[in-house]
Amino acid sequence: MAVYTDIAEDDLKWFLTEYDAGTLLSYKGIAEGVENSNFLLHTSKAPLILTLYEKRVEKSDLPFFLGLMQHLSAGGLSCPLPLPRKDGALLGTLSGRPAALISFLEGMWLRKPEAKHCREVGKALAQMHVAGEGFALTRPNALSLEGWQTLWDKSEARADEVEPGLQNEIRSDLNFLRAYWPKDLPDGVIHADLFPDNVFFLGDELSGLIDFYFACNDLLAYDVSICLNAWCFEKDGAYNITKGMQMLEGYQSVRPLSEAEIKALPVLSRGSALRFFLTRLYDWLTTPEGAMVTKKDPLEYLRKLRFHRQISSPAEYGLSL
């Protein structure tokens, strides 16, 4: 979440008249994240999240994202729901941007997740994968192999400004992943961005998943590798095998991984580390000064990428083979 586009109070009040949302009491921008402009609204009826979809998000993808939330909720997953307008549409327009009102999910994200929380995240991810079955719409993953190359092409010339030698190092990783990226694994709808700030807890109980604006169709085990990268490394860059074990056990308590998925986990984890390194690198180099957005350090994911290169067995992630 972030704020790239500001909104005027009078415009927002007019926008709310198209919904059965009550009258506006207060609103404020949410600075975390990098993708859309988001605001927390308090109305006379209920708190809501207002999302303005920025240029990186294709308007044609919005029916997939909003419909997916409805489908997952109907399948028993706890997640926000888009609020329909009085005419039944899920999208409106505000400040020149497509905009939607989304229900507010109680809870908060964990700054210091423990192994027990990782287990709950693993379970919730598997529940999402199961609940996503049968969703009629599809969306290819724009941030897979081809998308990584596109991002790299836009960043390569300046990569050594971030760390000397990065150009050659990342070229080598892209070549490796093109050669060894797994095929014919189980696929379906994935979240693709299940970081701690996209998972809410009430105490130690997971209350729901949010922010489905990277969701797409891809390998289910790739989603698992994203979570290993996002949840199971410590601040000093060390991989916490206890957290990894709990996350993987939680996931497999709902949806067991196949032997082929387990064998592919080191390559998938290397790929997901590269994906987030490249998007962070691009944002680090191109986000304009003054934008109300928290830029994320690309070197964090470079260190994770280097860790995955050294993995010789999936057991090193905490899997029981």
Side-chain angles (χ1 to χ4, degrees):
M1 296 181 176
V3 175
Y4 293 94
T5 300
D6 203 0
I7 53 176
E9 183 175 349
D10 287 345
D11 291 341
L12 177 56
K13 287 180 176 178
W14 174 85
F15 178 80
L16 289 177
T17 64
E18 299 179 319
Y19 295 83
D20 185 18
T23 56
L24 181 68
L25 302 177
S26 66
Y27 70 101
K28 64 179 180 179
I30 302 172
E32 295 169 325
V34 297
E35 196 63 21
N36 301 307
S37 294
N38 291 272
F39 300 83
L40 173 61
L41 311 186
H42 289 279
T43 77
S44 57
K45 286 196 171 183
L48 295 165
I49 298 296
L50 167 68
T51 297
L52 274 62
Y53 299 99
E54 299 292 348
K55 294 179 180 179
R56 187 186 285 183
V57 177
E58 296 289 342
K59 187 175 181 179
S60 59
D61 285 333
L62 295 178
F64 176 90
F65 299 140
L66 299 174
L68 177 62
M69 285 187 265
Q70 293 179 315
H71 180 87
L72 293 174
S73 178
L77 188 77
S78 178
C79 64
L81 277 171
L83 184 70
R85 301 188 336 162
K86 292 175 181 177
D87 63 4
L90 296 179
L91 272 177
T93 301
L94 180 60
S95 298
R97 299 282 190 267
L101 287 179
I102 309 293
S103 64
F104 179 79
L105 185 68
E106 292 288 347
M108 60 184 296
W109 68 274
L110 301 175
R111 270 62 176 180
K112 295 182 179 180
E114 301 173 17
K116 60 186 176 183
H117 304 124
C118 292
R119 184 179 187 88
E120 294 307 304
V121 172
K123 288 172 60 178
L125 180 67
Q127 289 163 357
M128 183 204 146
H129 290 167
V130 172
E133 294 175 0
F135 183 49
L137 302 180
T138 59
R139 177 177 180 265
N141 187 357
L143 289 170
S144 191
L145 284 167
E146 185 176 340
W148 301 341
Q149 184 63 54
T150 300
L151 280 170
W152 179 239
D153 290 344
K154 295 176 180 179
S155 306
E156 181 178 7
R158 296 181 58 195
D160 283 10
E161 296 176 21
V162 177
E163 183 175 296
L166 266 183
Q167 287 187 353
N168 290 333
E169 184 175 353
I170 300 305
R171 281 194 210 111
S172 176
D173 282 304
L174 283 166
N175 290 335
F176 172 87
L177 291 167
R178 275 193 293 267
Y180 294 102
W181 196 247
K183 300 177 177 65
D184 301 324
L185 297 180
D187 62 1
V189 177
I190 70 169
H191 187 283
D193 194 40
L194 201 61
F195 279 65
D197 57 350
N198 288 331
V199 181
F200 281 6
F201 283 82
L202 287 169
D204 289 331
E205 184 176 349
L206 193 150
S207 59
L209 310 183
I210 68 167
D211 201 350
F212 291 86
Y213 301 113
F214 284 103
C216 56
N217 294 82
D218 207 333
L219 306 178
L220 300 179
Y222 176 62
D223 222 10
V224 176
S225 78
I226 291 173
C227 286
L228 290 175
N229 274 312
W231 289 83
C232 301
F233 284 82
E234 300 300 330
K235 293 290 186 182
D236 63 1
Y239 180 74
N240 187 321
I241 195 169
T242 303
K243 288 183 176 179
M245 181 183 301
Q246 289 296 309
M247 176 168 285
L248 292 163
E249 287 183 358
Y251 184 91
Q252 295 199 97
S253 71
V254 176
R255 179 190 169 269
L257 293 165
S258 69
E259 182 179 352
E261 288 177 302
I262 291 172
K263 288 181 177 179
L265 201 55
V267 174
L268 294 169
S269 298
R270 185 169 170 178
S272 60
L274 179 65
R275 173 259 187 267
F276 286 99
F277 166 75
L278 289 172
T279 50
R280 289 182 177 200
L281 177 66
Y282 177 78
D283 289 336
W284 189 268
L285 295 172
T286 62
T287 297
E289 294 299 326
M292 186 181 165
V293 58
T294 304
K295 292 199 295 185
K296 297 178 180 179
D297 181 10
L299 294 182
E300 175 189 352
Y301 267 79
L302 181 63
R303 292 188 288 270
K304 294 177 183 181
L305 175 58
R306 289 168 175 165
F307 168 82
H308 296 302
R309 288 190 202 126
Q310 310 305 315
I311 293 293
S312 59
S313 167
E316 295 177 64
Y317 293 116
L319 274 163
S320 299
L321 301 178

